[in-house]
Amino acid sequence: MIFAYLEKIRDKYIEEKINIESKITEAIISRKENVEFIKLLEENNDDNFEVFTPRTVNNFHKKKIEELKNEQKEIEYKINQLQDSLHNIENELEEVNNVIKDAKERLKV
């Protein structure tokens, strides 16, 4: 009965770990997409053009680059939080596994 309870807790932690790992993967992919999109917009943005015109050239690109850079900061923060959560879950999982192992060894004695 105790083993079933501990194994249920372990399964819950494993499920949470898998969920967090998938969220981290999604955030990393999003970060890479942002970086590539920023590069693309910066390549299309020709600052030399602005010298010859009184108007703002590619204003949309500049705004979008700024938005993406702010989003990058948020994504980095989210990744750090998820990695901290993953570390905590891994510690809890290890602790439960140790308790299960100790309980099985004591029952054998």
Side-chain angles (χ1 to χ4, degrees):
M1 183 160 165
I2 293 174
F3 290 115
Y5 176 72
L6 291 173
E7 287 173 355
K8 184 177 178 181
I9 291 173
R10 181 180 61 192
D11 292 342
K12 183 185 100 177
Y13 284 141
I14 290 172
E15 187 177 313
E16 284 182 46
K17 180 181 174 186
I18 291 169
N19 188 18
I20 291 172
E21 287 173 341
S22 69
K23 287 180 182 180
I24 289 172
T25 303
E26 289 173 9
I28 289 172
I29 290 170
S30 179
R31 179 178 62 187
K32 288 179 183 177
E33 288 174 348
N34 268 2
V35 167
E36 293 302 315
F37 195 44
I38 289 171
K39 285 180 185 177
L40 178 68
L41 290 174
E42 286 176 342
E43 287 173 3
N44 291 336
N45 195 14
D46 190 4
D47 291 332
N48 294 330
F49 239 16
E50 287 187 24
V51 175
F52 300 108
T53 181
R55 297 187 184 110
T56 307
V57 179
N58 291 331
N59 194 29
F60 171 75
H61 287 220
K62 290 179 181 179
K63 287 181 182 177
K64 190 65 179 174
I65 289 171
E66 193 63 34
E67 285 176 24
L68 290 170
K69 286 183 179 181
N70 288 335
E71 192 175 315
Q72 277 302 92
K73 293 175 186 174
E74 292 173 13
I75 292 171
E76 289 294 330
Y77 180 73
K78 181 180 177 181
I79 289 173
N80 288 335
Q81 282 185 323
L82 289 170
Q83 287 174 338
D84 289 343
S85 296
L86 180 63
H87 182 68
N88 291 338
I89 293 294
E90 287 173 341
N91 287 341
E92 294 291 328
L93 185 59
E94 183 179 342
E95 198 172 302
V96 168
N97 284 331
N98 288 338
V99 169
I100 291 172
K101 180 182 171 185
D102 288 345
K104 285 183 179 181
E105 286 177 3
R106 289 181 185 202
L107 286 178
K108 287 182 180 179
V109 172

